[in-house]
Amino acid sequence: MIKTQDCIFIKESIPPSIEQNSILNILTNNVTAYTHGFHKYPGKFIPQVPRWAIDKYLIGQNEKLILDPFCGSGTTLVEGILMGHKVIGIDIDPLSALISKVKTTPVDINSLNAVCDWLKKDIKQKKRGGFKPECETIEHWFTNDAINKLSLIRTLINQITNEFGKNPKIRDIQDLLIICFSSIIRRVSNADNESQKTYVSHTKIKIPEETINLFLNQLDLFKERISIFSQKINYKLKSTIICSSSAEGLVEKLKGGKIDLAITSPPYIKAMDYIYNQMAELFWIGDLFELQTQTKQNNKKKQYIGTKHFRKKDYEDYNPFDITIGIKTLDKKLRDVYVKDKKNGHKHSFLTFKYFKEMENHFAEMARCLSPNTHYILVIGNSFVSDIFFYTADFLTEIAEHNGFKITNKWGYSIKNRYMRFDRKGRGGIIEIDWVLDFLKL
């Protein structure tokens, strides 16, 4: 470790003991090994963080149960299985849940090779597919060449179970190939690759990558990575992925399983609109999740913690002077947003209030399903709302302590090489530090 005035530089591995309020600068390029790099994903945290937590609290133990209640693309789950443990992931976003499932599920290599050989052969032999997205403006988002080739690939993936059987090992391979297919869609579309929003720029014209060659290259990468992963892990270890909210009914969802360690990174205030971010992908695979139309997508958005999507009538009776969280500093911040932002203060104050109330529900649920002396590692960044700074990490700490947890340490790390680095024009800001909160269930 090299300590400077501002932060501590470390290479690869995070040390087990970290001084309170330290800021780490983690020097590593090792963030896409095994299945970690299967699919780009906004807000993904680095695998070194769950690896640190597992090393610290489960060292020398095997086949313990690790929970990630906001599992996203499955970083914690992959690390847990690689380190010899069973994992449970929960996420309300169905594409995220499928990515996590694929990244943590070993496959039969002989069957995978047979399916991929068949797929490659038919891609080269056939000219068109029968799959058509339910999108009237599809030609805005994709060239005709990309539409024809994506249709062919999706049609062939749909036919895998007819060709090879409907047994679980073939369905696992089919899911793997759906995520492989999804991973190229943004790149072959007309939409900007690096924006939070899915949009076609008319000032910076994009030249999409060629679809078939990109898919075949990605297929080879997936085959290589899943083969290494499948050989590395213990097949007896199970990953369970639940597509649901973690703010209600956790005990029932976990079916009484004893959690030995929890590690997660929840949404931030004014959370990323994952469905909007994944819109290009959902044009082509949204039917698998009942998200193939704009109406279905908009209804789903309302269920996400931190969402900005609700109707005016949902907050017309909200007033932060009358309806409070019960944390003095936080309630003052909510009133400041309400008063100072003349245009959107009412809405922004409400969505921030709603975020903290939903996280309070989440901590209450976690307290119900974690045994005493179980650690819960939570990674979160602070945020701006209407140009007002919210110490989200500190507010969540106080909420957690009101719900049966004790904070044992807090440290941060600087965020680098983020996917979809964007400026939220003062309404959210680029988050530079993620804070690692180490809670103990009392």
Side-chain angles (χ1 to χ4, degrees), residues 195-383:
S195 171
Q196 175 200 15
K197 300 176 180 179
T198 305
Y199 79 101
V200 177
S201 174
H202 297 292
T203 57
K204 186 179 179 182
I205 305 301
K206 174 185 168 184
I207 300 175
E209 297 181 56
E210 197 280 321
T211 304
I212 296 298
N213 287 332
L214 181 59
F215 177 74
L216 294 178
N217 288 338
Q218 195 76 339
L219 184 59
D220 288 340
L221 174 67
F222 269 57
K223 278 180 59 181
E224 177 188 359
R225 294 289 179 86
I226 198 66
S227 297
I228 295 170
F229 176 81
S230 299
Q231 294 166 8
K232 170 78 173 176
I233 70 167
N234 180 351
Y235 267 63
K236 294 180 181 179
L237 300 175
K238 297 294 183 183
S239 69
T240 302
I241 312 298
I242 302 168
C243 187
S244 178
S245 169
S246 69
E248 57 185 11
L250 266 189
V251 172
E252 292 75 15
K253 291 166 188 170
L254 299 177
K255 298 179 180 178
K258 180 183 179 297
I259 305 301
D260 298 291
L261 177 65
I263 311 166
T264 202
S265 181
Y268 298 168
I269 305 171
K270 297 180 70 177
M272 174 78 67
D273 187 339
Y274 289 95
I275 288 179
Y276 194 2
N277 175 257
Q278 300 162 353
M279 189 165 64
E281 290 84 351
L282 292 175
F283 288 145
W284 291 95
I285 63 171
D287 58 297
L288 301 175
F289 317 119
E290 286 296 313
L291 290 176
Q292 66 269 47
T293 67
Q294 193 74 46
T295 299
K296 291 179 179 180
Q297 292 171 11
N298 288 338
N299 287 335
K300 182 68 175 178
K301 290 178 185 182
K302 298 172 185 177
Q303 302 172 24
Y304 290 48
I305 289 178
T307 183
K308 303 182 286 289
H309 299 279
F310 39 77
R311 298 164 298 181
K312 187 172 184 178
K313 70 176 186 179
D314 293 331
Y315 61 91
E316 60 187 5
D317 294 330
Y318 167 76
N319 181 329
F321 292 90
D322 300 325
I323 302 173
T324 61
I325 299 287
I327 297 173
K328 186 176 179 180
T329 308
L330 174 55
D331 287 328
K332 182 181 183 303
K333 294 272 188 182
L334 294 172
R335 292 192 291 270
D336 287 344
V337 171
Y338 184 84
V339 171
K340 294 180 180 180
D341 183 348
K342 303 301 182 183
K343 181 178 179 181
N344 294 308
H346 193 181
K347 179 180 180 180
H348 287 180
S349 180
F350 173 75
L351 72 84
T352 308
F353 166 83
K354 188 169 180 283
Y355 169 83
F356 283 110
K357 289 300 290 184
E358 288 173 334
M359 286 303 297
E360 183 174 40
N361 292 341
H362 166 73
F363 280 117
E365 289 294 322
M366 289 294 289
R368 290 178 60 216
C369 65
L370 295 183
S371 302
N373 299 316
T374 301
H375 280 265
Y376 179 17
I377 311 300
L378 187 143
V379 180
I380 191 71
N382 296 323
S383 296

Side-chain angles (χ1 to χ4, degrees), residues 387-421:
D387 293 324
I388 293 171
F389 188 71
F390 278 75
Y391 296 92
T392 310
D394 291 344
F395 293 143
L396 289 183
T397 295
E398 193 162 348
I399 290 170
E401 291 186 327
H402 290 169
N403 285 276
F405 291 91
K406 174 185 176 183
I407 186 75
T408 64
N409 199 2
K410 171 191 172 186
W411 55 272
Y413 66 92
S414 58
I415 303 171
K416 301 186 293 293
N417 301 322
R418 69 182 74 236
Y419 167 51
M420 296 193 174
R421 185 181 182 93

